[in-house]
Amino acid sequence: MTALAIVLHEPLLLFSLFLLSLLPFALCRPQRATWLRIVAFYLFIFVGTTLSQGFFSTHTGGAEPLFWLIAPDTPVIGAFTGGVAFTLGGAAYGFVQAFRIISILNASLTLVLTTPLNRVILGLSKLGLPPLLAFMITTAVRFVPTVFDEWKMILTAQRARGIPITGRRLIEYSLSPLILSSIRRCNQLALAAESRAFGAGVGRSAYVEIACGPADRYCMGAVAVVTGLLIAAGYWGV
């Protein structure tokens, strides 16, 4: 999915890739609250890429300025930047690029929601990735929601104490405890891995062994066919 998101450039193909990435994620049946958070995050991506490319993308078609954020004749900064304008061509380019980003995110969310952490590590190791590197990658992905939940808990605790979390206090009363808690969790995780002799060398066995079965081969064959068709369509400009 990541390779296709990088290779494809046609808007219709990127939209098709987004729909393909959304299908397995929808089959995970996330809760309604999860859907709402994801939709809000996707809207943030769409708005962010549309605005950023609308202001700063000048290599796309339709680059006639719709309005100027910084006019070229503005003293000092105008001469330094050459002016910053919002263009419809850049905004359309950014809107299409959002489908590229979200397709990768959908694939990552599907992996996290459907596969236990130990199986992700084992699968990456079977593909030839060093176990320590596989553990580092999967742990980073696994603890992202945990860090967000802990940050919300810290904010709730500070509000319960009557501390307004605004401006400078945001760093002092919420981010600082979050950083310290993350460092503490990393130390505990390192001790747990060390006590279990993780990465001690070759010959390490696993409680759960995984291997490709008939269903896996059929799925990979279908993925290969769809990938080939999308790449061919992108090559021929469909």
Side-chain angles (χ1 to χ4, degrees), residues 9-191:
H9 299 284
E10 296 294 329
L12 181 59
L13 294 178
L14 287 175
F15 180 70
S16 302
L17 186 68
F18 163 71
L19 294 180
L20 285 174
S21 68
L22 191 62
L23 178 61
F25 177 69
L27 292 176
C28 298
R29 297 180 181 178
Q31 297 180 355
R32 185 170 179 270
T34 303
W35 272 114
L36 293 176
R37 286 195 294 267
I38 290 173
V39 169
F41 184 57
Y42 286 175
L43 289 176
F44 175 78
I45 293 176
F46 274 111
V47 173
T49 55
T50 301
L51 290 179
S52 62
Q53 295 299 319
F55 280 115
F56 299 106
S57 180
T58 58
H59 63 279
T60 56
E64 290 297 325
L66 187 64
F67 64 88
W68 290 92
L69 180 65
I70 300 175
D73 56 355
T74 302
V76 183
I77 191 171
F80 179 75
T81 61
V84 177
F86 184 84
T87 62
L88 290 179
Y93 177 76
F95 183 79
V96 171
Q97 296 310 304
F99 288 112
R100 190 191 306 271
I101 299 171
I102 293 176
S103 298
I104 299 175
L105 290 177
N106 280 340
S108 303
L109 288 173
T110 303
L111 177 65
V112 172
L113 288 175
T114 59
T115 311
L117 183 62
N118 62 335
R119 298 203 177 199
V120 176
I121 297 174
L122 183 59
L124 292 176
S125 300
K126 292 286 187 181
L127 291 174
L129 199 67
L132 289 176
L133 185 58
F135 179 72
M136 180 183 68
I137 294 173
T138 52
T139 301
V141 175
R142 168 64 180 81
F143 279 102
V144 168
T146 303
V147 171
F148 275 106
D149 290 338
E150 188 164 356
W151 188 44
K152 290 192 293 185
M153 183 177 63
I154 291 172
L155 292 177
T156 302
Q158 300 294 18
R159 291 193 184 101
R161 294 179 174 87
I163 301 175
I165 308 299
T166 57
R168 181 180 175 183
R169 292 177 179 268
L170 178 66
I171 299 177
E172 184 178 357
Y173 291 103
S174 67
L175 294 183
S176 296
L178 181 64
I179 293 173
L180 293 175
S181 176
S182 299
I183 294 174
R184 188 184 306 114
R185 183 182 293 107
C186 290
N187 289 332
Q188 293 173 350
L189 188 62
L191 288 174

